[in-house]
Amino acid sequence: MRTLYLECNMGAAGDMLMSALYDLLSETDKQDFLNKMNSLGLDNIKLSCKAVQKCGIYGSHISVLVDEQEEHSEDADLEHIESHHHHHHEHTNSHDHTHNNEHSHHHYSYHDICDVIEKLDLPEKVKADAIDVYKLIGEAESFVHNTSIEQIHFHEVGSLDAVADVVGCCLLINKLDVSSILASPIHVGSGFVHCAHGVLPVPAPATAHILMGVPTYSGNIKGELCTPTGAAVLKHFVQKFGSMPVMTTEKIGYGMGNKDFEVANCVRVFLSSESEGHDEIVELSCNLDDMTPETIGFAIDKLMEEKALDIFATPIVMKKSRPAYMLTCLCRLEDQERMTKLLLKHTTTLGVRFKICNRNILSYKMRTAETKYGSIRIKCGYGYGINKEKAEYEDVKQAASIYNVSIADVLSEIK
């Protein structure tokens, strides 16, 4: 199980996240990534990378060049936004408050941005992720400006370079092929940020809207540390925000920002392929005294079809000595709401209890054993100094049926 943990102690901007993820790659993969991004055909956009030092530590900084000039915005995605409804430009630049009004005043609508992304030579999953990230940004901006997403327009200066940030992050996460992405609570900064209207509080309104439901804090550092693109990338990809879980780190990436603060201005990313695991799951349960075994069995089948980790019924005795069952469903944290709705839908209960459970888990891999009864898949668990194996029941059952032998006969042939 490969896990990413994003440490956002100095917030997150699109280019910082991209640089941190890039920093995890091998030298060959780094060059392949830059070559791929620079061959996509984004007009006048070119990416280059250099090693940057902050507070004595080194990391990567990817520069997004527009017409050979680096945008000195750590996140220029919404540097200039125009709403046809309000007829204004807004500057929501992250760590470097430099206006670029001298550039061309071409504008891109949200749908224009989606069309640009759709036409890129990238895997469909990468393009879908990038469009979803932009949807979060567009929805936040339209809410802040009290208009519709169709009326939000991105200024050319703050659009294609931000597309590169978003697409780059999505492509890197796809290349890293991780099974879970976790992150720390996000440091958003404090104080105020200048824009065309005057002065706005940090986090900027669009960023604050995107980060609703995400753990954040302001801290003592003055400045806008988390930007709309950084917020949207994290909101889309991160499955859980909190402290770092138990994990065995294989590699660490540092993505450096443009500005210098008293604290190293970077996003740090930890990559783990752990053989010994520790995670959290949800245990959902309800008591049922008015369902038949068959209807409980139907509910169990439906929840297993919907990817419950496990579900089981325990005989219990309720008040007035009524025989009943307690139905328990184990599921992933991100599936809690969906599984709760399924329990309410497929059982007669009026309420579902839940608790968060910590568990120690073995990693596993599959191997295939060749026997005189055919191929049998074997699940191999390992970690904590333990190794164990178990044949896949469906394969054993099928072989026993085809060859008209017992399950024990099949199992005895597995080496």
Side-chain angles (χ1 to χ4, degrees), residues 93-157:
N93 182 5
S94 170
H95 298 181
D96 199 354
H97 302 150
T98 305
H99 290 268
N100 291 280
N101 290 328
E102 69 273 12
H103 286 274
S104 155
H105 282 257
H106 181 75
H107 297 83
Y108 289 84
S109 71
Y110 166 71
H111 293 295
D112 290 337
I113 295 291
C114 292
D115 287 343
V116 168
I117 294 171
E118 278 290 357
K119 291 173 183 173
L120 299 177
D121 180 21
L122 290 168
E124 289 302 318
K125 178 71 169 72
V126 174
K127 292 191 285 189
D129 283 334
I131 287 170
D132 286 346
V133 169
Y134 252 97
K135 187 176 182 183
L136 287 172
I137 299 168
E139 287 174 344
E141 283 298 330
S142 61
F143 178 84
V144 167
H145 295 307
N146 194 28
T147 184
S148 68
I149 195 169
E150 287 76 17
Q151 290 175 298
I152 291 294
H153 278 61
F154 301 82
H155 192 282
E156 184 175 32
V157 174

Side-chain angles (χ1 to χ4, degrees), residues 68-84:
E68 303 299 324
Q69 298 289 319
E70 180 177 1
E71 289 301 306
H72 293 297
S73 153
E74 288 219 292
D75 204 348
D77 60 317
L78 300 177
E79 185 170 343
H80 295 274
I81 291 176
E82 180 180 271
S83 160
H84 286 324

Side-chain angles (χ1 to χ4, degrees), residues 63 96 160 211 221 287-288 315:
S63 301
D96 199 354
L160 290 185
L211 292 177
I221 293 175
N287 294 354
L288 306 169

Side-chain angles (χ1 to χ4, degrees), residues 14-30:
D15 60 346
M16 291 171 70
L17 285 167
M18 176 168 59
S19 300
L21 295 166
Y22 168 90
D23 208 41
L24 293 172
L25 299 179
S26 67
E27 291 305 316
T28 301
D29 286 343
K30 284 178 179 176

Side-chain angles (χ1 to χ4, degrees), residues 246-403:
V246 176
M247 54 190 284
T248 305
T249 301
E250 277 188 3
K251 201 162 187 183
I252 303 173
Y254 290 85
M256 300 306 194
N258 276 320
K259 282 201 82 176
D260 291 324
F261 296 95
E262 58 267 33
V263 178
N265 184 22
C266 67
V267 169
R268 186 161 60 161
V269 185
F270 297 83
L271 176 64
S272 166
S273 297
E274 48 206 30
S275 61
E276 298 176 3
H278 182 93
D279 70 356
E280 291 181 338
I281 59 172
V282 180
E283 181 181 297
L284 307 172
S285 61
C286 57
N287 294 354
L288 306 169
D289 64 356
D290 55 354
M291 289 181 68
T292 65
E294 291 89 351
T295 53
I296 291 175
F298 180 81
I300 289 173
D301 290 343
K302 296 305 289 184
L303 271 90
M304 289 305 295
E305 287 172 12
E306 292 293 328
K307 309 303 181 189
L309 295 173
D310 199 4
I311 184 163
F312 52 93
T314 308
I316 58 174
V317 177
M318 291 176 60
K319 61 181 181 289
K320 301 181 182 178
S321 298
R322 290 199 299 263
Y325 289 96
M326 179 170 67
L327 193 60
T328 303
C329 174
L330 304 181
C331 68
R332 295 177 180 85
L333 297 179
E334 60 267 26
D335 293 334
Q336 178 179 351
E337 183 179 354
R338 186 166 61 89
M339 291 298 173
T340 299
K341 288 179 179 177
L342 287 167
L343 277 171
L344 292 169
K345 177 180 179 179
H346 292 294
T347 72
T348 55
T349 191
L350 298 178
V352 175
R353 303 183 297 276
F354 71 91
K355 60 183 177 182
I356 307 299
C357 300
N358 290 292
R359 64 174 186 167
N360 295 317
I361 53 174
L362 296 180
S363 294
Y364 74 89
K365 59 188 176 183
M366 302 298 294
R367 72 175 180 89
T368 301
E370 299 298 335
T371 76
K372 66 181 182 182
Y373 301 120
S375 299
I376 307 292
R377 289 173 298 160
I378 313 293
K379 182 179 285 187
C380 309
Y382 57 95
Y384 299 97
I386 296 167
N387 288 281
K388 57 177 66 174
E389 294 188 345
K390 183 180 180 181
E392 286 291 293
Y393 171 72
E394 291 300 326
D395 290 7
V396 175
K397 173 183 165 185
Q398 183 180 40
S401 177
I402 291 172
Y403 289 91

